[in-house]
Amino acid sequence: MKMKAACLILLCLILLSSFQQTSAGFCDSKCGVRCLKAGYKERCLKYCGICCGKCQCVPSGTYGNKDECPCYRDMKNSKGKPKCP
């Protein structure tokens, strides 16, 4: 019984880590496109990555189109301004 439980836990951990890598790859590629023309590219990539990680989506293009992803659009910083580029 303990062996089955240990195998199940191990399988769950493997699946979880593969999902996180896929998610990170998705965000990296989408944010790379989103921040392609940004003046402050590193900052754009940082905040886009944070927003994508929470929302699992990034609007298309390099600017605008935020209605494609309401979670991304509605996220605000501590000053009440849009957090996501």
Side-chain angles (χ1 to χ4, degrees):
M1 185 68 169
K2 288 183 182 182
M3 186 65 150
K4 286 182 181 180
C7 288
L8 182 61
I9 290 171
L10 182 61
L11 180 62
C12 288
L13 290 174
I14 290 170
L15 289 173
L16 181 60
S17 73
S18 68
F19 172 75
Q20 289 174 340
Q21 289 173 354
T22 303
S23 176
F26 168 81
C27 290
D28 288 347
S29 64
K30 292 289 190 176
C31 288
V33 172
R34 184 78 179 167
C35 297
L36 191 63
K37 296 181 179 180
Y40 296 98
K41 191 169 188 169
E42 292 300 316
R43 186 167 60 183
C44 180
L45 289 170
K46 175 185 174 182
Y47 287 105
C48 180
I50 291 169
C51 295
C52 178
K54 290 183 180 179
C55 298
Q56 295 300 308
C57 64
V58 176
S60 62
T62 57
Y63 185 79
N65 302 323
K66 289 188 176 181
D67 287 335
E68 295 174 359
C69 183
C71 170
Y72 190 97
R73 176 194 65 209
D74 297 339
M75 202 174 297
K76 305 290 185 204
N77 65 18
S78 61
K79 295 178 182 176
K81 295 185 178 186
K83 181 174 193 143
C84 307

